[in-house]
Amino acid sequence: TIALIHGAHRMGNRTDADMARWRSLRFGQFIHWGLYAIPGGEWNGKTYNGAAEWIRSWKEMPHEDYDKLYRQFNPVNFNPQQWAAQAKSMGAKYMIITTKHHDGFCLWPSKYSKYTIASSPWKKDLLGPMIEAYNKAGIDVHLYFSIIDWNHPDYRASLKNAADSAAGKRFQVFVKNQLAELLQRYPTIKGFWFDGTWDDSWKNDGAFSDELEQYLQSLHPGLVMGSRLRADEKGARHFDSNGRLMGDYEQGWERKLPATIDDVHGNDWEAVMTVPENQWGYHAKWAGHVKTVNEILEMLVKSVSLNGNFVLNFGPKADGTYRTEEQQLMTGIGQWMKVNGDAIYNGTYAGFEKQDWGYYIRKAGTDSVYMVVFNIPVSGSLRVKLPARTSLTGASVLQSNATLTPELIGRNEYFIHLPNKTTDSPVVILLKTVTGENKEKGSFEKAK
Ligand SMILES: Cc1ccc([C@@H]2N[C@@H](C)[C@@H](O)[C@H]2O)cc1
C-alpha cells in the first residue's frame, strides 16, 4: 500500500449509533430547491435540455439574467409542515435539502454572503422551518452543500497562479465558515451531503478536505458525511490511492444502482435517484421517461437488498408547491410503504442466492427474511434456495398475514406457491428461518 496521510482513516464501516441510525432509515427524500426553479428549464421561449439546476451554464441564459433571479424568489405557497407530512406519508425517514447549489444562492441568511434568501422578497430563512417541520414529523435532515460556487468571486476551478492560490485560500475560509454556520444554526441536522467537489482546485488539496471533515466532526460528533467530500493527497476521490473508501458511505451512486452485492465491496452506500431521466431542480417540461411507483419501489427494494440506502429526488416549484406527478408518486409509494415498510426499515443483505422473482431483505440482526416479489413466474412457484444449515420454520404473506406452506423440492430448496399469479404491486412474503449446527429440522422438512 501507498503511505497516505489524507487517505481513508478507517477500515470498514462506522459502527457508532449515529451511523447505525442512518443505516436503519434506508429511505430518504432529496429536495433540490432554489433560484433555478424560477426559469424551470425555460428561458426566452426556449427549452433547456440539460438539468434545470444547471440552466445558468446554458448559452441561452446570460449569467447576469440568472444572477438577478433572486430578486423574484418569493415562495408564497411554501408550507414546510405540508412538505414534511407528505414525506412522512411516503415513508421517507430522512431528507436531504439543498442549502446552496452550484449557483451559490443560499436558502438561509448566511452572514458570509449577500447572495442569500435575506436579499430576496421572501427575506426569511427557509431551512429552519423545514428542519423543524421534518424533525417534528420524525424525519432526520441532512444538508446538501455544493463546494462549487459560481457566484463567489474567489471560487476557482483550478489554481493557475499566485492570485488564484490567494483566492482559493479565501474561498476555503468561506466554505469552512458557512459549514460551521450551518451546524451552529441547525444543531439537529445529522449530516452533510457534499457535491461539486470534482474541480482541480478541490481535488488537488486533499489535506484541506481531510482537515475540513475532521473539523466538522469535532463541531458535531457523529455527523454522517459521504465519500464525495474528500480527496487524498494524490487527488484520488471516493476511494483513496489504496482503494479504501473515504468518508462514511459510498456516495457515487447517482442515478444508478449497483448490480450485485459484489459491486458494493462491503461498504455502506447510498443511491440518489431522479424521477425523470435527469432533472434535479424543477423543470417545467419533463422530457423522456418518468419513473412509475413500481419502478421506484423496485429501486428502493433492490438498494436495501444490497445493504444500501435509497433517496428519491423532488424539485419543488418556485412558489413552494410540488408538481402533480411528484405528489402522486409520494402518495403511491406511501400506500405500499404503509403496508410493507417493515421489509425496508432496518433492512439488510440476506445472504441468500438471488432468484429471478425479486429480492431478499433480512431484518438487521434477525432470522426474519422478506421476499419482495416483482416477477411472478408463469408457474406461480417462487424458488427459495437456502444457504447450508439454514432452514425454514415459517412463511406468510406480509400484507394479509396468510400462512404459506412451502413445498420442499430439494436439499434446502423450496417452492413457495403464491395464491394469486397476478398483482399490480410488489408482494412481500415473510420467511422465518433458523440457522445453526444442531438445529431442529425446519418445519417443512417433515412435510414428506
Ligand atoms: C455532471 C454532474 C454535475 C453535477 C450534478 C449534480 N449532482 C446531483 C445530486 C445534482 O445536484 C446535480 O446538479 C450532476 C451531474
Side-chain angles (χ1 to χ4, degrees):
T1 55
I2 303 163
L4 289 173
I5 299 170
H6 302 296
H9 299 310
R10 190 194 62 248
M11 282 289 282
N13 293 316
R14 270 176 53 174
T15 54
D16 60 287
D18 292 298
M19 197 67 200
R21 178 189 177 99
W22 176 88
R23 202 176 285 132
S24 72
L25 302 179
R26 288 305 186 213
F27 184 28
Q29 176 191 44
F30 216 146
I31 297 177
H32 274 71
W33 197 35
L35 300 183
Y36 38 78
I38 297 169
E42 300 179 319
W43 197 248
N44 285 340
K46 294 193 184 83
T47 299
Y48 176 49
N49 296 324
E53 70 283 355
W54 273 77
I55 195 167
R56 188 179 184 276
S57 65
W58 184 32
K59 66 178 180 4
E60 305 291 340
M61 167 64 86
H63 285 178
E64 55 277 2
D65 288 1
Y66 185 92
D67 294 347
K68 282 190 299 216
L69 289 172
Y70 72 91
R71 297 179 189 165
Q72 303 172 42
F73 195 55
N74 192 20
V76 292
N77 295 323
F78 174 53
N79 182 335
Q81 292 75 19
Q82 190 177 29
W83 285 19
Q86 286 175 301
K88 180 174 182 160
S89 72
M90 175 171 75
K93 293 291 185 187
Y94 67 109
M95 185 272 273
I96 307 170
I97 176 66
T98 47
T99 61
K100 175 178 95 168
H101 203 261
H102 312 329
D103 62 6
F105 182 71
C106 303
L107 296 195
W108 83 100
S110 173
K111 59 176 182 267
Y112 300 101
S113 168
K114 288 266 165 296
Y115 197 49
T116 81
I117 194 72
S119 305
S120 76
W122 183 259
K123 292 198 187 331
K124 302 176 296 289
D125 177 20
L126 289 168
L127 296 185
M130 246 185 257
I131 293 163
E132 186 187 358
Y134 273 80
N135 286 170
K136 259 200 196 112
I139 300 173
D140 287 356
V141 175
H142 291 240
L143 302 182
Y144 169 108
F145 184 92
S146 172
I147 298 296
I148 282 182
D149 184 323
W150 296 327
N151 181 270
H152 198 285
D154 287 333
Y155 185 75
R156 298 289 182 281
S158 62
L159 308 179
K160 298 188 182 68
N161 52 46
D164 281 352
S165 297
K169 280 283 164 255
R170 290 192 300 270
F171 186 76
Q172 287 181 338
V173 170
F174 165 70
V175 165
K176 198 169 168 181
N177 285 338
Q178 282 207 314
L179 290 169
E181 179 182 44
L182 285 166
L183 288 178
Q184 186 272 327
R185 290 178 61 91
Y186 312 112
T188 67
I189 62 114
K190 300 291 183 182
F192 280 116
W193 204 96
F194 288 102
D195 201 2
T197 54
W198 54 80
D199 279 344
D200 285 351
S201 52
W202 189 264
K203 233 168 67 176
N204 296 340
D205 195 346
F208 178 74
S209 66
D210 189 11
E211 284 144 21
L212 179 65
E213 186 184 67
Q214 294 183 46
Y215 169 67
L216 296 172
Q217 277 291 354
S218 71
L219 291 182
H220 193 106
L223 210 55
V224 173
M225 293 176 274
S227 58
R228 219 173 263 210
L229 171 65
R230 288 185 36 209
D232 72 9
E233 57 261 47
K234 303 195 182 305
R237 294 181 57 232
H238 293 284
F239 294 90
D240 71 15
S241 302
N242 293 316
R244 291 186 185 144
L245 184 70
M246 293 183 280
D248 302 325
Y249 61 92
E250 190 186 354
Q251 201 185 348
W253 301 101
E254 181 173 313
R255 297 193 302 118
K256 61 187 182 197
L257 296 183
T260 72
I261 195 68
D262 301 332
D263 294 334
V264 301
H265 313 291
N267 297 315
D268 282 316
W269 63 277
E270 175 195 78
V272 291
M273 192 58 68
T274 50
V275 173
E277 180 53 42
N278 185 15
Q279 291 297 336
W280 299 89
Y282 173 72
H283 195 301
K285 289 206 179 50
W286 275 358
H289 179 65
V290 176
K291 295 173 189 73
T292 62
V293 169
N294 281 337
E295 275 180 88
I296 289 163
L297 288 176
E298 180 154 10
M299 292 178 174
L300 168 61
V301 167
K302 178 170 185 181
S303 297
V304 177
S305 79
L306 297 178
N307 261 352
N309 285 8
F310 180 78
V311 180
L312 184 63
N313 181 73
F314 293 82
K317 297 181 193 171
D319 73 342
T321 60
Y322 283 105
R323 66 197 307 143
T324 315
E325 301 95 319
E326 291 184 350
Q327 302 212 31
Q328 288 169 343
L329 277 175
M330 284 192 268
T331 305
I333 292 166
Q335 280 163 354
W336 188 85
M337 285 296 286
K338 194 155 164 262
V339 173
N340 301 293
D342 262 6
I344 297 297
Y345 306 126
N346 288 295
T348 62
Y349 175 62
F352 289 11
E353 179 187 295
K354 175 82 172 62
Q355 302 289 344
D356 291 341
W357 46 255
Y359 308 88
Y360 291 110
I361 293 173
R362 177 185 298 278
K363 176 72 69 189
T366 75
D367 285 324
S368 294
V369 173
Y370 298 91
M371 298 166 61
V372 189
V373 182
F374 287 86
N375 317 300
I376 300 176
V378 287
S379 66
S381 308
L382 308 176
R383 182 182 302 277
V384 173
K385 190 155 178 28
L386 299 178
R389 299 199 330 280
T390 295
S391 68
L392 217 40
T393 57
S396 57
V397 178
L398 188 65
Q399 174 158 11
S400 61
N401 213 11
T403 304
L404 297 168
T405 309
E407 177 198 349
L408 186 68
I409 58 170
R411 187 168 172 65
N412 263 10
E413 196 163 2
Y414 297 86
F415 269 155
I416 291 188
H417 303 285
L418 272 186
N420 308 311
K421 276 192 197 170
T422 58
T423 174
D424 55 14
S425 76
V427 176
V428 181
I429 290 166
L430 171 57
L431 300 179
K432 290 290 184 190
T433 67
V434 282
T435 300
E437 286 306 324
N438 321 313
K439 62 172 176 19
E440 268 294 295
K441 274 196 169 304
S443 322
F444 308 103
E445 288 174 51
K446 299 177 202 111
K448 285 292 171 203

mmCIF file of all heavy atoms in Angstrom, residues 275-291:
data_model
loop_
_atom_site.group_PDB
_atom_site.id
_atom_site.type_symbol
_atom_site.label_atom_id
_atom_site.label_comp_id
_atom_site.label_asym_id
_atom_site.label_seq_id
_atom_site.Cartn_x
_atom_site.Cartn_y
_atom_site.Cartn_z
ATOM 1 N N VAL A 275 -36.662 11.416 -10.689
ATOM 2 C CA VAL A 275 -37.912 10.832 -11.196
ATOM 3 C C VAL A 275 -37.887 10.796 -12.724
ATOM 4 O O VAL A 275 -38.113 9.742 -13.313
ATOM 5 C CB VAL A 275 -39.134 11.609 -10.653
ATOM 6 C CG1 VAL A 275 -40.417 11.119 -11.310
ATOM 7 C CG2 VAL A 275 -39.234 11.449 -9.123
ATOM 8 N N PRO A 276 -37.574 11.941 -13.390
ATOM 9 C CA PRO A 276 -37.333 11.833 -14.832
ATOM 10 C C PRO A 276 -35.903 11.349 -15.051
ATOM 11 O O PRO A 276 -35.210 11.045 -14.076
ATOM 12 C CB PRO A 276 -37.500 13.265 -15.342
ATOM 13 C CG PRO A 276 -37.335 14.138 -14.161
ATOM 14 C CD PRO A 276 -37.552 13.323 -12.937
ATOM 15 N N GLU A 277 -35.473 11.273 -16.298
ATOM 16 C CA GLU A 277 -34.138 10.735 -16.583
ATOM 17 C C GLU A 277 -33.057 11.535 -15.846
ATOM 18 O O GLU A 277 -32.230 10.967 -15.134
ATOM 19 C CB GLU A 277 -33.885 10.790 -18.112
ATOM 20 C CG GLU A 277 -32.533 10.254 -18.553
ATOM 21 C CD GLU A 277 -32.257 8.848 -18.025
ATOM 22 O OE1 GLU A 277 -33.184 8.022 -18.042
ATOM 23 O OE2 GLU A 277 -31.111 8.599 -17.567
ATOM 24 N N ASN A 278 -33.098 12.867 -15.975
ATOM 25 C CA ASN A 278 -32.006 13.638 -15.375
ATOM 26 C C ASN A 278 -32.429 15.071 -15.076
ATOM 27 O O ASN A 278 -31.980 16.022 -15.722
ATOM 28 C CB ASN A 278 -30.781 13.641 -16.296
ATOM 29 C CG ASN A 278 -29.591 14.329 -15.638
ATOM 30 O OD1 ASN A 278 -29.599 14.554 -14.417
ATOM 31 N ND2 ASN A 278 -28.598 14.677 -16.422
ATOM 32 N N GLN A 279 -33.333 15.226 -14.068
ATOM 33 C CA GLN A 279 -33.719 16.557 -13.619
ATOM 34 C C GLN A 279 -33.718 16.534 -12.100
ATOM 35 O O GLN A 279 -34.387 15.681 -11.503
ATOM 36 C CB GLN A 279 -35.132 16.935 -14.117
ATOM 37 C CG GLN A 279 -35.230 17.147 -15.608
ATOM 38 C CD GLN A 279 -34.379 18.299 -16.106
ATOM 39 O OE1 GLN A 279 -34.048 19.218 -15.331
ATOM 40 N NE2 GLN A 279 -33.977 18.255 -17.366
ATOM 41 N N TRP A 280 -32.966 17.457 -11.480
ATOM 42 C CA TRP A 280 -32.981 17.532 -10.006
ATOM 43 C C TRP A 280 -33.814 18.729 -9.585
ATOM 44 O O TRP A 280 -34.757 18.620 -8.822
ATOM 45 C CB TRP A 280 -31.547 17.617 -9.474
ATOM 46 C CG TRP A 280 -30.712 16.422 -9.821
ATOM 47 C CD1 TRP A 280 -29.942 16.241 -10.945
ATOM 48 C CD2 TRP A 280 -30.578 15.202 -9.058
ATOM 49 N NE1 TRP A 280 -29.345 14.985 -10.927
ATOM 50 C CE2 TRP A 280 -29.709 14.348 -9.774
ATOM 51 C CE3 TRP A 280 -31.107 14.760 -7.847
ATOM 52 C CZ2 TRP A 280 -29.367 13.080 -9.301
ATOM 53 C CZ3 TRP A 280 -30.755 13.495 -7.373
ATOM 54 C CH2 TRP A 280 -29.902 12.669 -8.100
ATOM 55 N N GLY A 281 -33.511 19.908 -10.125
ATOM 56 C CA GLY A 281 -34.344 21.092 -9.857
ATOM 57 C C GLY A 281 -35.590 21.050 -10.727
ATOM 58 O O GLY A 281 -35.665 20.287 -11.688
ATOM 59 N N TYR A 282 -36.575 21.912 -10.375
ATOM 60 C CA TYR A 282 -37.846 21.913 -11.107
ATOM 61 C C TYR A 282 -37.642 22.250 -12.591
ATOM 62 O O TYR A 282 -37.021 23.263 -12.935
ATOM 63 C CB TYR A 282 -38.797 22.948 -10.481
ATOM 64 C CG TYR A 282 -40.070 23.123 -11.277
ATOM 65 C CD1 TYR A 282 -41.043 22.119 -11.284
ATOM 66 C CD2 TYR A 282 -40.275 24.246 -12.071
ATOM 67 C CE1 TYR A 282 -42.200 22.261 -12.042
ATOM 68 C CE2 TYR A 282 -41.415 24.393 -12.835
ATOM 69 C CZ TYR A 282 -42.377 23.389 -12.823
ATOM 70 O OH TYR A 282 -43.514 23.518 -13.590
ATOM 71 N N HIS A 283 -38.184 21.414 -13.471
ATOM 72 C CA HIS A 283 -38.162 21.686 -14.923
ATOM 73 C C HIS A 283 -39.614 21.622 -15.399
ATOM 74 O O HIS A 283 -40.300 20.631 -15.170
ATOM 75 C CB HIS A 283 -37.303 20.659 -15.655
ATOM 76 C CG HIS A 283 -36.930 21.057 -17.061
ATOM 77 N ND1 HIS A 283 -37.860 21.316 -18.023
ATOM 78 C CD2 HIS A 283 -35.724 21.255 -17.640
ATOM 79 C CE1 HIS A 283 -37.254 21.657 -19.142
ATOM 80 N NE2 HIS A 283 -35.958 21.644 -18.950
ATOM 81 N N ALA A 284 -40.064 22.691 -16.047
ATOM 82 C CA ALA A 284 -41.479 22.772 -16.447
ATOM 83 C C ALA A 284 -41.851 21.648 -17.399
ATOM 84 O O ALA A 284 -42.969 21.147 -17.370
ATOM 85 C CB ALA A 284 -41.741 24.124 -17.095
ATOM 86 N N LYS A 285 -40.905 21.241 -18.254
ATOM 87 C CA LYS A 285 -41.228 20.229 -19.266
ATOM 88 C C LYS A 285 -40.348 18.998 -19.076
ATOM 89 O O LYS A 285 -39.244 18.933 -19.606
ATOM 90 C CB LYS A 285 -41.014 20.793 -20.668
ATOM 91 C CG LYS A 285 -42.047 21.834 -21.079
ATOM 92 C CD LYS A 285 -42.215 21.907 -22.600
ATOM 93 C CE LYS A 285 -43.284 22.936 -22.964
ATOM 94 N NZ LYS A 285 -43.023 24.222 -22.276
ATOM 95 N N TRP A 286 -40.857 18.009 -18.358
ATOM 96 C CA TRP A 286 -40.098 16.769 -18.204
ATOM 97 C C TRP A 286 -40.101 16.031 -19.540
ATOM 98 O O TRP A 286 -41.155 15.681 -20.058
ATOM 99 C CB TRP A 286 -40.740 15.901 -17.151
ATOM 100 C CG TRP A 286 -40.324 16.201 -15.741
ATOM 101 C CD1 TRP A 286 -39.409 17.141 -15.360
ATOM 102 C CD2 TRP A 286 -40.811 15.570 -14.546
ATOM 103 N NE1 TRP A 286 -39.292 17.123 -13.997
ATOM 104 C CE2 TRP A 286 -40.125 16.177 -13.470
ATOM 105 C CE3 TRP A 286 -41.730 14.586 -14.288
ATOM 106 C CZ2 TRP A 286 -40.347 15.805 -12.145
ATOM 107 C CZ3 TRP A 286 -41.950 14.209 -12.974
ATOM 108 C CH2 TRP A 286 -41.267 14.815 -11.914
ATOM 109 N N ALA A 287 -38.921 15.824 -20.097
ATOM 110 C CA ALA A 287 -38.814 15.080 -21.370
ATOM 111 C C ALA A 287 -38.444 13.647 -21.036
ATOM 112 O O ALA A 287 -37.845 13.383 -20.000
ATOM 113 C CB ALA A 287 -37.717 15.707 -22.224
ATOM 114 N N GLY A 288 -38.828 12.741 -21.887
ATOM 115 C CA GLY A 288 -38.417 11.331 -21.721
ATOM 116 C C GLY A 288 -39.206 10.618 -20.638
ATOM 117 O O GLY A 288 -40.263 11.072 -20.194
ATOM 118 N N HIS A 289 -38.625 9.525 -20.177
ATOM 119 C CA HIS A 289 -39.353 8.616 -19.292
ATOM 120 C C HIS A 289 -39.470 9.160 -17.871
ATOM 121 O O HIS A 289 -38.482 9.663 -17.322
ATOM 122 C CB HIS A 289 -38.635 7.261 -19.267
ATOM 123 C CG HIS A 289 -39.300 6.260 -18.375
ATOM 124 N ND1 HIS A 289 -40.565 5.769 -18.628
ATOM 125 C CD2 HIS A 289 -38.902 5.699 -17.216
ATOM 126 C CE1 HIS A 289 -40.897 4.930 -17.659
ATOM 127 N NE2 HIS A 289 -39.907 4.871 -16.793
ATOM 128 N N VAL A 290 -40.657 9.095 -17.306
ATOM 129 C CA VAL A 290 -40.898 9.461 -15.908
ATOM 130 C C VAL A 290 -41.164 8.169 -15.136
ATOM 131 O O VAL A 290 -42.048 7.398 -15.509
ATOM 132 C CB VAL A 290 -42.106 10.418 -15.806
ATOM 133 C CG1 VAL A 290 -42.416 10.728 -14.348
ATOM 134 C CG2 VAL A 290 -41.805 11.708 -16.570
ATOM 135 N N LYS A 291 -40.403 7.920 -14.102
ATOM 136 C CA LYS A 291 -40.474 6.634 -13.407
ATOM 137 C C LYS A 291 -41.815 6.475 -12.691
ATOM 138 O O LYS A 291 -42.376 7.428 -12.162
ATOM 139 C CB LYS A 291 -39.322 6.513 -12.407
ATOM 140 C CG LYS A 291 -37.943 6.483 -13.096
ATOM 141 C CD LYS A 291 -36.813 6.526 -12.085
ATOM 142 C CE LYS A 291 -35.478 6.714 -12.788
ATOM 143 N NZ LYS A 291 -35.288 8.079 -13.314
#
